[in-house]
Amino acid sequence: RSIGFIVVNETEGKNYGKVAFPIFSPDSYMVSYIVYGNNKSFLVTNGEEGQPYDLIGSPVFSRKGHAFAYPYVKGRTWSVMFNGNELPQSYDYDPDKDDFLFNLAVISNDEKHLAYPVRIGEKYSIVVDDKPDKLYDKVGSPIFSEDSKHVAYIAEESIKKYIILDG
């Protein structure tokens, strides 16, 4: 049985048939969830419907709660929506290889920067501000420094593991 609506502060939202992955912003002023139906998905944030896509990944909020991002699939490519803007960089989408990437995006504390992992061919990279870094066999989730000036992540190449700081 599917859940078709979200209740927030005792107010029942619109019944969409199937909704999933509700998430509150850290300041609790925003709530987002994904709606599935008719071979399309869209994000609803505070009752406002976003653009439909073939698939949407889980949204992520910044720690302050004023910025958010989510991955989306259009045809055979995927990209990221950041603060209401579709980022221009897109990547080939393979559901067997890429779905785990959808939950690893992070937003910097100043809410100006976004970092997330991608697969390019058979290798992986971290994208910071829509620019892919060096390719590796594996990468971990990125993390920003408290002042938002640096990004770090773990990468693996052959049998060696590295901590990558600022690419």
Side-chain angles (χ1 to χ4, degrees):
R1 184 175 151 120
S2 297
I3 299 172
F5 58 90
I6 300 290
V7 177
V8 178
N9 294 327
E10 299 179 13
T11 301
E12 186 176 309
K14 182 177 176 180
N15 190 340
Y16 289 103
K18 185 176 179 185
V19 299
F21 306 109
I23 182 172
F24 280 92
S25 62
D27 60 7
S28 298
Y29 287 108
M30 293 173 42
V31 62
S32 290
Y33 53 92
I34 300 171
V35 174
Y36 298 100
N38 298 327
N39 297 321
K40 294 289 182 183
S41 303
F42 59 92
L43 192 71
V44 174
T45 303
N46 287 351
E48 193 171 313
E49 297 177 2
Q51 184 173 337
Y53 295 102
D54 296 330
L55 181 67
I56 291 180
S58 298
V60 61
F61 284 98
S62 63
R63 291 197 321 191
K64 293 177 186 174
H66 303 117
F68 73 98
Y70 60 90
Y72 63 87
V73 175
K74 255 192 206 177
R76 301 208 31 91
T77 63
W78 74 276
S79 190
V80 177
M81 178 75 73
F82 182 43
N83 289 333
N85 299 304
E86 289 184 353
L87 298 182
Q89 195 69 265
S90 64
Y91 305 92
D92 291 336
Y93 175 69
D94 181 338
D96 296 327
K97 297 178 180 177
D98 297 328
D99 281 351
F100 82 96
L101 300 172
F102 279 15
N103 299 314
L104 302 176
V106 294
I107 299 171
S108 62
N109 291 334
D110 67 3
E111 301 182 326
K112 296 178 183 177
H113 308 283
L114 176 68
Y116 55 92
V118 297
R119 180 187 53 83
I120 300 173
E122 296 303 315
K123 297 279 193 167
Y124 295 86
S125 179
I126 295 295
V127 174
V128 180
D129 296 334
D130 215 30
K131 295 178 190 104
D133 199 6
K134 184 180 172 192
L135 296 173
Y136 296 96
D137 291 338
K138 295 179 183 178
V139 293
S141 183
I143 185 168
F144 282 99
S145 62
E146 286 295 317
D147 65 4
S148 302
K149 294 180 182 178
H150 306 281
V151 65
Y153 59 94
I154 294 174
E156 188 175 316
E157 187 66 28
S158 297
I159 59 169
K160 295 182 179 179
K161 290 188 179 185
Y162 304 92
I163 296 176
I164 309 299
L165 178 61
D166 296 333

Short mmCIF file of all heavy atoms in Angstrom, two decimals, residues 37-95:
data_model
loop_
_atom_site.label_atom_id
_atom_site.label_comp_id
_atom_site.label_asym_id
_atom_site.label_seq_id
_atom_site.Cartn_x
_atom_site.Cartn_y
_atom_site.Cartn_z
N GLY A 37 4.56 9.12 -10.12
CA GLY A 37 3.35 8.80 -10.86
C GLY A 37 3.50 9.06 -12.34
O GLY A 37 4.27 9.93 -12.75
N ASN A 38 2.77 8.30 -13.15
CA ASN A 38 2.77 8.48 -14.61
C ASN A 38 4.18 8.51 -15.22
O ASN A 38 4.48 9.33 -16.08
CB ASN A 38 2.00 9.74 -15.01
CG ASN A 38 0.55 9.68 -14.60
OD1 ASN A 38 -0.05 8.61 -14.58
ND2 ASN A 38 -0.01 10.82 -14.23
N ASN A 39 5.05 7.64 -14.73
CA ASN A 39 6.43 7.54 -15.21
C ASN A 39 7.24 8.82 -15.02
O ASN A 39 8.24 9.03 -15.69
CB ASN A 39 6.48 7.11 -16.68
CG ASN A 39 5.90 5.73 -16.88
OD1 ASN A 39 6.12 4.85 -16.05
ND2 ASN A 39 5.17 5.55 -17.95
N LYS A 40 6.80 9.70 -14.14
CA LYS A 40 7.52 10.93 -13.83
C LYS A 40 7.55 11.09 -12.31
O LYS A 40 6.75 10.55 -11.59
CB LYS A 40 6.85 12.16 -14.46
CG LYS A 40 6.88 12.21 -15.96
CD LYS A 40 8.27 12.47 -16.48
CE LYS A 40 8.28 12.56 -17.99
NZ LYS A 40 9.60 12.73 -18.53
N SER A 41 8.52 11.89 -11.86
CA SER A 41 8.64 12.23 -10.44
C SER A 41 8.81 13.74 -10.33
O SER A 41 9.35 14.37 -11.24
CB SER A 41 9.89 11.58 -9.83
OG SER A 41 9.88 10.20 -9.99
N PHE A 42 8.35 14.30 -9.24
CA PHE A 42 8.63 15.70 -8.97
C PHE A 42 8.73 15.92 -7.48
O PHE A 42 8.24 15.12 -6.67
CB PHE A 42 7.60 16.64 -9.62
CG PHE A 42 6.18 16.43 -9.20
CD1 PHE A 42 5.64 17.13 -8.14
CD2 PHE A 42 5.36 15.55 -9.90
CE1 PHE A 42 4.33 16.95 -7.75
CE2 PHE A 42 4.04 15.36 -9.53
CZ PHE A 42 3.53 16.06 -8.46
N LEU A 43 9.38 16.99 -7.11
CA LEU A 43 9.57 17.34 -5.71
C LEU A 43 8.52 18.35 -5.30
O LEU A 43 8.21 19.28 -6.06
CB LEU A 43 10.98 17.93 -5.52
CG LEU A 43 11.45 18.08 -4.09
CD1 LEU A 43 11.76 16.70 -3.50
CD2 LEU A 43 12.71 18.94 -4.04
N VAL A 44 7.96 18.16 -4.12
CA VAL A 44 7.05 19.14 -3.54
C VAL A 44 7.76 19.74 -2.32
O VAL A 44 8.23 19.00 -1.45
CB VAL A 44 5.71 18.50 -3.12
CG1 VAL A 44 4.83 19.51 -2.39
CG2 VAL A 44 4.99 17.92 -4.33
N THR A 45 7.87 21.05 -2.29
CA THR A 45 8.51 21.75 -1.18
C THR A 45 7.53 22.79 -0.64
O THR A 45 7.10 23.67 -1.39
CB THR A 45 9.82 22.43 -1.61
OG1 THR A 45 10.70 21.44 -2.16
CG2 THR A 45 10.51 23.11 -0.44
N ASN A 46 7.16 22.63 0.61
CA ASN A 46 6.17 23.52 1.25
C ASN A 46 4.91 23.66 0.38
O ASN A 46 4.37 24.75 0.22
CB ASN A 46 6.77 24.89 1.55
CG ASN A 46 7.73 24.83 2.71
OD1 ASN A 46 7.84 23.82 3.40
ND2 ASN A 46 8.46 25.91 2.93
N GLY A 47 4.46 22.54 -0.19
CA GLY A 47 3.24 22.52 -0.97
C GLY A 47 3.41 22.95 -2.42
O GLY A 47 2.48 22.84 -3.21
N GLU A 48 4.58 23.44 -2.80
CA GLU A 48 4.82 23.91 -4.17
C GLU A 48 5.44 22.80 -5.00
O GLU A 48 6.47 22.24 -4.64
CB GLU A 48 5.75 25.13 -4.13
CG GLU A 48 5.81 25.87 -5.43
CD GLU A 48 6.58 27.17 -5.27
OE1 GLU A 48 6.31 27.92 -4.31
OE2 GLU A 48 7.45 27.42 -6.11
N GLU A 49 4.80 22.48 -6.13
CA GLU A 49 5.27 21.41 -7.00
C GLU A 49 6.41 21.87 -7.89
O GLU A 49 6.34 22.92 -8.50
CB GLU A 49 4.12 20.90 -7.88
CG GLU A 49 2.99 20.31 -7.08
CD GLU A 49 1.82 19.87 -7.95
OE1 GLU A 49 1.91 19.99 -9.20
OE2 GLU A 49 0.82 19.41 -7.38
N GLY A 50 7.45 21.04 -7.95
CA GLY A 50 8.58 21.31 -8.83
C GLY A 50 8.37 20.70 -10.20
O GLY A 50 7.35 20.08 -10.49
N GLN A 51 9.36 20.86 -11.02
CA GLN A 51 9.34 20.36 -12.40
C GLN A 51 9.37 18.83 -12.42
O GLN A 51 10.11 18.22 -11.65
CB GLN A 51 10.55 20.92 -13.14
CG GLN A 51 10.60 20.54 -14.59
CD GLN A 51 11.73 21.25 -15.32
OE1 GLN A 51 12.20 22.29 -14.91
NE2 GLN A 51 12.15 20.69 -16.43
N PRO A 52 8.62 18.19 -13.32
CA PRO A 52 8.65 16.72 -13.40
C PRO A 52 9.90 16.22 -14.13
O PRO A 52 10.35 16.83 -15.10
CB PRO A 52 7.38 16.39 -14.19
CG PRO A 52 7.07 17.60 -14.98
CD PRO A 52 7.61 18.77 -14.20
N TYR A 53 10.42 15.10 -13.65
CA TYR A 53 11.58 14.43 -14.26
C TYR A 53 11.29 12.94 -14.33
O TYR A 53 10.35 12.44 -13.71
CB TYR A 53 12.83 14.68 -13.43
CG TYR A 53 13.25 16.12 -13.37
CD1 TYR A 53 12.99 16.90 -12.26
CD2 TYR A 53 13.91 16.70 -14.45
CE1 TYR A 53 13.37 18.22 -12.21
CE2 TYR A 53 14.29 18.03 -14.41
CZ TYR A 53 14.02 18.79 -13.28
OH TYR A 53 14.40 20.10 -13.24
N ASP A 54 12.14 12.21 -15.03
CA ASP A 54 11.99 10.76 -15.11
C ASP A 54 12.20 10.12 -13.74
O ASP A 54 11.58 9.12 -13.41
CB ASP A 54 12.96 10.17 -16.13
CG ASP A 54 12.66 10.65 -17.54
OD1 ASP A 54 11.49 10.93 -17.84
OD2 ASP A 54 13.61 10.75 -18.35
N LEU A 55 13.11 10.67 -12.96
CA LEU A 55 13.42 10.16 -11.62
C LEU A 55 14.04 11.27 -10.80
O LEU A 55 14.77 12.10 -11.34
CB LEU A 55 14.41 8.99 -11.73
CG LEU A 55 14.84 8.31 -10.45
CD1 LEU A 55 13.67 7.58 -9.79
CD2 LEU A 55 15.97 7.33 -10.73
N ILE A 56 13.75 11.29 -9.52
CA ILE A 56 14.35 12.28 -8.61
C ILE A 56 14.96 11.52 -7.44
O ILE A 56 14.35 10.61 -6.90
CB ILE A 56 13.30 13.29 -8.10
CG1 ILE A 56 12.85 14.19 -9.24
CG2 ILE A 56 13.86 14.12 -6.95
CD1 ILE A 56 11.83 15.21 -8.85
N GLY A 57 16.16 11.95 -7.06
CA GLY A 57 16.81 11.40 -5.88
C GLY A 57 16.44 12.21 -4.65
O GLY A 57 15.81 13.27 -4.74
N SER A 58 16.86 11.74 -3.52
CA SER A 58 16.52 12.39 -2.24
C SER A 58 17.10 13.80 -2.17
O SER A 58 18.27 14.01 -2.47
CB SER A 58 17.06 11.57 -1.08
OG SER A 58 16.46 10.31 -1.06
N PRO A 59 16.29 14.76 -1.74
CA PRO A 59 16.80 16.12 -1.58
C PRO A 59 17.69 16.23 -0.35
O PRO A 59 17.59 15.44 0.59
CB PRO A 59 15.54 16.96 -1.40
CG PRO A 59 14.51 16.01 -0.90
CD PRO A 59 14.87 14.67 -1.44
N VAL A 60 18.57 17.21 -0.37
CA VAL A 60 19.44 17.49 0.77
C VAL A 60 19.37 18.99 1.06
O VAL A 60 19.34 19.81 0.13
CB VAL A 60 20.90 17.02 0.49
CG1 VAL A 60 21.51 17.73 -0.70
CG2 VAL A 60 21.77 17.21 1.71
N PHE A 61 19.28 19.33 2.33
CA PHE A 61 19.27 20.72 2.75
C PHE A 61 20.63 21.10 3.32
O PHE A 61 21.35 20.25 3.85
CB PHE A 61 18.22 20.95 3.85
CG PHE A 61 16.81 21.00 3.34
CD1 PHE A 61 16.00 19.88 3.40
CD2 PHE A 61 16.29 22.16 2.80
CE1 PHE A 61 14.70 19.91 2.93
CE2 PHE A 61 14.99 22.21 2.33
CZ PHE A 61 14.20 21.08 2.40
N SER A 62 20.93 22.38 3.26
CA SER A 62 22.13 22.88 3.95
C SER A 62 21.87 22.85 5.45
O SER A 62 20.72 22.70 5.89
CB SER A 62 22.43 24.32 3.51
OG SER A 62 21.35 25.17 3.88
N ARG A 63 22.93 23.00 6.23
CA ARG A 63 22.75 22.95 7.70
C ARG A 63 21.89 24.10 8.22
O ARG A 63 21.18 23.96 9.20
CB ARG A 63 24.11 22.95 8.40
CG ARG A 63 24.83 21.66 8.15
CD ARG A 63 25.95 21.36 9.07
NE ARG A 63 26.80 22.45 9.47
CZ ARG A 63 27.94 22.28 10.10
NH1 ARG A 63 28.36 21.09 10.40
NH2 ARG A 63 28.67 23.31 10.44
N LYS A 64 21.93 25.25 7.56
CA LYS A 64 21.10 26.38 7.97
C LYS A 64 19.66 26.22 7.47
O LYS A 64 18.75 26.85 7.99
CB LYS A 64 21.67 27.69 7.43
CG LYS A 64 23.00 28.07 8.04
CD LYS A 64 23.52 29.34 7.40
CE LYS A 64 24.91 29.66 7.88
NZ LYS A 64 25.48 30.81 7.15
N GLY A 65 19.49 25.41 6.43
CA GLY A 65 18.16 25.13 5.93
C GLY A 65 17.66 26.05 4.84
O GLY A 65 16.52 25.94 4.41
N HIS A 66 18.49 26.97 4.35
CA HIS A 66 18.05 27.92 3.33
C HIS A 66 18.40 27.48 1.91
O HIS A 66 17.92 28.07 0.95
CB HIS A 66 18.64 29.30 3.59
CG HIS A 66 18.31 29.82 4.94
ND1 HIS A 66 19.27 30.08 5.89
CD2 HIS A 66 17.12 30.09 5.53
CE1 HIS A 66 18.68 30.49 6.99
NE2 HIS A 66 17.38 30.51 6.80
N ALA A 67 19.25 26.48 1.76
CA ALA A 67 19.65 25.99 0.44
C ALA A 67 19.31 24.51 0.34
O ALA A 67 19.37 23.80 1.34
CB ALA A 67 21.15 26.21 0.23
N PHE A 68 18.96 24.08 -0.85
CA PHE A 68 18.72 22.65 -1.03
C PHE A 68 19.06 22.22 -2.45
O PHE A 68 19.13 23.03 -3.37
CB PHE A 68 17.29 22.25 -0.64
CG PHE A 68 16.23 22.68 -1.61
CD1 PHE A 68 15.74 21.77 -2.55
CD2 PHE A 68 15.71 23.94 -1.58
CE1 PHE A 68 14.74 22.14 -3.44
CE2 PHE A 68 14.72 24.33 -2.47
CZ PHE A 68 14.23 23.43 -3.39
N ALA A 69 19.30 20.93 -2.59
CA ALA A 69 19.67 20.35 -3.88
C ALA A 69 19.08 18.95 -3.98
O ALA A 69 18.78 18.32 -2.97
CB ALA A 69 21.19 20.27 -4.00
N TYR A 70 18.90 18.49 -5.22
CA TYR A 70 18.50 17.11 -5.44
C TYR A 70 18.91 16.69 -6.85
O TYR A 70 18.92 17.50 -7.77
CB TYR A 70 17.00 16.90 -5.22
CG TYR A 70 16.09 17.71 -6.10
CD1 TYR A 70 15.66 17.20 -7.33
CD2 TYR A 70 15.64 18.96 -5.71
CE1 TYR A 70 14.81 17.93 -8.14
CE2 TYR A 70 14.79 19.69 -6.52
CZ TYR A 70 14.38 19.18 -7.73
OH TYR A 70 13.55 19.91 -8.53
N PRO A 71 19.25 15.41 -7.00
CA PRO A 71 19.58 14.90 -8.33
C PRO A 71 18.30 14.53 -9.09
O PRO A 71 17.29 14.19 -8.48
CB PRO A 71 20.41 13.65 -8.02
CG PRO A 71 19.89 13.19 -6.72
CD PRO A 71 19.47 14.43 -5.96
N TYR A 72 18.38 14.60 -10.40
CA TYR A 72 17.24 14.22 -11.22
C TYR A 72 17.75 13.55 -12.50
O TYR A 72 18.87 13.78 -12.93
CB TYR A 72 16.36 15.42 -11.56
CG TYR A 72 17.06 16.46 -12.39
CD1 TYR A 72 17.09 16.36 -13.79
CD2 TYR A 72 17.71 17.52 -11.79
CE1 TYR A 72 17.75 17.31 -14.54
CE2 TYR A 72 18.38 18.46 -12.54
CZ TYR A 72 18.40 18.35 -13.92
OH TYR A 72 19.07 19.28 -14.68
N VAL A 73 16.90 12.71 -13.06
CA VAL A 73 17.21 12.00 -14.30
C VAL A 73 16.28 12.50 -15.38
O VAL A 73 15.07 12.60 -15.18
CB VAL A 73 17.05 10.47 -14.13
CG1 VAL A 73 17.25 9.75 -15.47
CG2 VAL A 73 18.02 9.94 -13.09
N LYS A 74 16.86 12.81 -16.55
CA LYS A 74 16.12 13.19 -17.75
C LYS A 74 16.61 12.28 -18.86
O LYS A 74 17.76 12.39 -19.28
CB LYS A 74 16.44 14.63 -18.15
CG LYS A 74 15.43 15.65 -17.87
CD LYS A 74 15.82 16.92 -18.60
CE LYS A 74 15.27 18.13 -17.92
NZ LYS A 74 15.68 19.36 -18.57
N GLY A 75 15.79 11.36 -19.29
CA GLY A 75 16.21 10.43 -20.34
C GLY A 75 17.35 9.54 -19.85
O GLY A 75 17.21 8.85 -18.85
N ARG A 76 18.48 9.62 -20.50
CA ARG A 76 19.63 8.78 -20.14
C ARG A 76 20.74 9.58 -19.45
O ARG A 76 21.87 9.12 -19.36
CB ARG A 76 20.16 8.08 -21.38
CG ARG A 76 19.08 7.23 -22.02
CD ARG A 76 19.48 6.02 -22.78
NE ARG A 76 20.65 5.31 -22.39
CZ ARG A 76 20.69 4.29 -21.53
NH1 ARG A 76 19.58 3.90 -20.93
NH2 ARG A 76 21.81 3.67 -21.27
N THR A 77 20.41 10.79 -18.99
CA THR A 77 21.41 11.60 -18.27
C THR A 77 20.83 12.06 -16.93
O THR A 77 19.62 12.08 -16.74
CB THR A 77 21.85 12.84 -19.07
OG1 THR A 77 20.73 13.69 -19.28
CG2 THR A 77 22.45 12.44 -20.42
N TRP A 78 21.73 12.43 -16.02
CA TRP A 78 21.30 12.98 -14.75
C TRP A 78 22.09 14.22 -14.44
O TRP A 78 23.19 14.44 -14.97
CB TRP A 78 21.36 11.95 -13.63
CG TRP A 78 22.73 11.58 -13.11
CD1 TRP A 78 23.58 10.65 -13.62
CD2 TRP A 78 23.37 12.11 -11.95
NE1 TRP A 78 24.71 10.56 -12.86
CE2 TRP A 78 24.61 11.45 -11.82
CE3 TRP A 78 23.02 13.07 -11.00
CZ2 TRP A 78 25.50 11.73 -10.79
CZ3 TRP A 78 23.91 13.34 -9.98
CH2 TRP A 78 25.13 12.67 -9.88
N SER A 79 21.53 15.08 -13.64
CA SER A 79 22.17 16.30 -13.19
C SER A 79 21.63 16.64 -11.81
O SER A 79 20.97 15.82 -11.18
CB SER A 79 21.93 17.44 -14.18
OG SER A 79 22.74 18.56 -13.85
N VAL A 80 21.88 17.86 -11.37
CA VAL A 80 21.47 18.28 -10.04
C VAL A 80 20.77 19.63 -10.11
O VAL A 80 21.18 20.53 -10.83
CB VAL A 80 22.69 18.38 -9.08
CG1 VAL A 80 22.28 18.89 -7.72
CG2 VAL A 80 23.38 17.03 -8.97
N MET A 81 19.68 19.73 -9.35
CA MET A 81 18.98 21.00 -9.14
C MET A 81 19.55 21.59 -7.85
O MET A 81 19.58 20.91 -6.82
CB MET A 81 17.48 20.75 -9.00
CG MET A 81 16.67 21.98 -8.73
SD MET A 81 16.44 23.02 -10.17
CE MET A 81 15.28 22.08 -11.12
N PHE A 82 20.02 22.83 -7.90
CA PHE A 82 20.60 23.49 -6.72
C PHE A 82 19.96 24.85 -6.56
O PHE A 82 20.07 25.71 -7.44
CB PHE A 82 22.12 23.60 -6.88
CG PHE A 82 22.84 24.22 -5.71
CD1 PHE A 82 22.53 23.88 -4.41
CD2 PHE A 82 23.86 25.13 -5.92
CE1 PHE A 82 23.21 24.43 -3.33
CE2 PHE A 82 24.55 25.69 -4.85
CZ PHE A 82 24.22 25.33 -3.56
N ASN A 83 19.26 25.03 -5.47
CA ASN A 83 18.56 26.29 -5.17
C ASN A 83 17.67 26.75 -6.32
O ASN A 83 17.63 27.92 -6.68
CB ASN A 83 19.56 27.39 -4.81
CG ASN A 83 20.18 27.15 -3.46
OD1 ASN A 83 19.58 26.52 -2.60
ND2 ASN A 83 21.39 27.63 -3.27
N GLY A 84 16.94 25.79 -6.91
CA GLY A 84 15.99 26.11 -7.95
C GLY A 84 16.58 26.24 -9.34
O GLY A 84 15.86 26.57 -10.29
N ASN A 85 17.88 26.00 -9.50
CA ASN A 85 18.53 26.10 -10.80
C ASN A 85 19.08 24.75 -11.24
O ASN A 85 19.79 24.10 -10.48
CB ASN A 85 19.70 27.10 -10.74
CG ASN A 85 19.24 28.48 -10.37
OD1 ASN A 85 18.39 29.05 -11.01
ND2 ASN A 85 19.80 29.01 -9.30
N GLU A 86 18.75 24.36 -12.48
CA GLU A 86 19.33 23.15 -13.03
C GLU A 86 20.79 23.43 -13.36
O GLU A 86 21.09 24.35 -14.12
CB GLU A 86 18.59 22.73 -14.31
CG GLU A 86 17.22 22.20 -14.09
CD GLU A 86 16.57 21.70 -15.38
OE1 GLU A 86 17.15 21.89 -16.47
OE2 GLU A 86 15.48 21.12 -15.28
N LEU A 87 21.70 22.65 -12.79
CA LEU A 87 23.10 22.84 -13.10
C LEU A 87 23.36 22.38 -14.53
O LEU A 87 22.77 21.40 -15.00
CB LEU A 87 23.97 22.06 -12.11
CG LEU A 87 23.83 22.52 -10.65
CD1 LEU A 87 24.78 21.72 -9.76
CD2 LEU A 87 24.11 24.01 -10.51
N PRO A 88 24.24 23.07 -15.26
CA PRO A 88 24.43 22.76 -16.68
C PRO A 88 25.14 21.43 -16.95
O PRO A 88 24.91 20.81 -17.98
CB PRO A 88 25.28 23.92 -17.21
CG PRO A 88 25.87 24.55 -16.01
CD PRO A 88 24.97 24.27 -14.85
N GLN A 89 25.98 20.97 -16.05
CA GLN A 89 26.73 19.73 -16.25
C GLN A 89 25.80 18.53 -16.08
O GLN A 89 25.03 18.47 -15.13
CB GLN A 89 27.85 19.67 -15.20
CG GLN A 89 28.93 18.66 -15.47
CD GLN A 89 29.82 18.99 -16.64
OE1 GLN A 89 29.57 18.52 -17.72
NE2 GLN A 89 30.83 19.80 -16.41
N SER A 90 25.84 17.58 -17.03
CA SER A 90 25.05 16.37 -16.89
C SER A 90 25.93 15.15 -17.15
O SER A 90 26.99 15.27 -17.76
CB SER A 90 23.84 16.38 -17.83
OG SER A 90 24.26 16.38 -19.17
N TYR A 91 25.46 13.99 -16.69
CA TYR A 91 26.25 12.76 -16.73
C TYR A 91 25.39 11.61 -17.21
O TYR A 91 24.17 11.60 -16.99
CB TYR A 91 26.80 12.47 -15.32
CG TYR A 91 27.57 13.63 -14.78
CD1 TYR A 91 26.94 14.59 -14.00
CD2 TYR A 91 28.91 13.82 -15.10
CE1 TYR A 91 27.63 15.70 -13.53
CE2 TYR A 91 29.60 14.92 -14.64
CZ TYR A 91 28.96 15.86 -13.86
OH TYR A 91 29.64 16.96 -13.42
N ASP A 92 26.03 10.63 -17.88
CA ASP A 92 25.30 9.43 -18.30
C ASP A 92 24.70 8.76 -17.09
O ASP A 92 25.33 8.68 -16.03
CB ASP A 92 26.24 8.45 -19.00
CG ASP A 92 26.73 8.97 -20.34
OD1 ASP A 92 26.04 9.82 -20.94
OD2 ASP A 92 27.80 8.53 -20.79
N TYR A 93 23.48 8.26 -17.25
CA TYR A 93 22.79 7.61 -16.14
C TYR A 93 22.67 6.11 -16.40
O TYR A 93 22.16 5.69 -17.43
CB TYR A 93 21.40 8.21 -15.94
CG TYR A 93 20.60 7.50 -14.88
CD1 TYR A 93 20.97 7.60 -13.55
CD2 TYR A 93 19.51 6.71 -15.22
CE1 TYR A 93 20.25 6.93 -12.57
CE2 TYR A 93 18.79 6.05 -14.25
CZ TYR A 93 19.17 6.17 -12.92
OH TYR A 93 18.46 5.51 -11.95
N ASP A 94 23.13 5.33 -15.45
CA ASP A 94 22.98 3.87 -15.45
C ASP A 94 22.44 3.50 -14.07
O ASP A 94 23.16 3.63 -13.07
CB ASP A 94 24.32 3.19 -15.70
CG ASP A 94 24.23 1.68 -15.72
OD1 ASP A 94 23.27 1.11 -15.15
OD2 ASP A 94 25.13 1.05 -16.30
N PRO A 95 21.18 3.05 -13.99
CA PRO A 95 20.59 2.77 -12.66
C PRO A 95 21.36 1.71 -11.86
O PRO A 95 21.32 1.73 -10.64
CB PRO A 95 19.17 2.30 -12.98
CG PRO A 95 19.18 1.93 -14.42
CD PRO A 95 20.26 2.74 -15.08
#
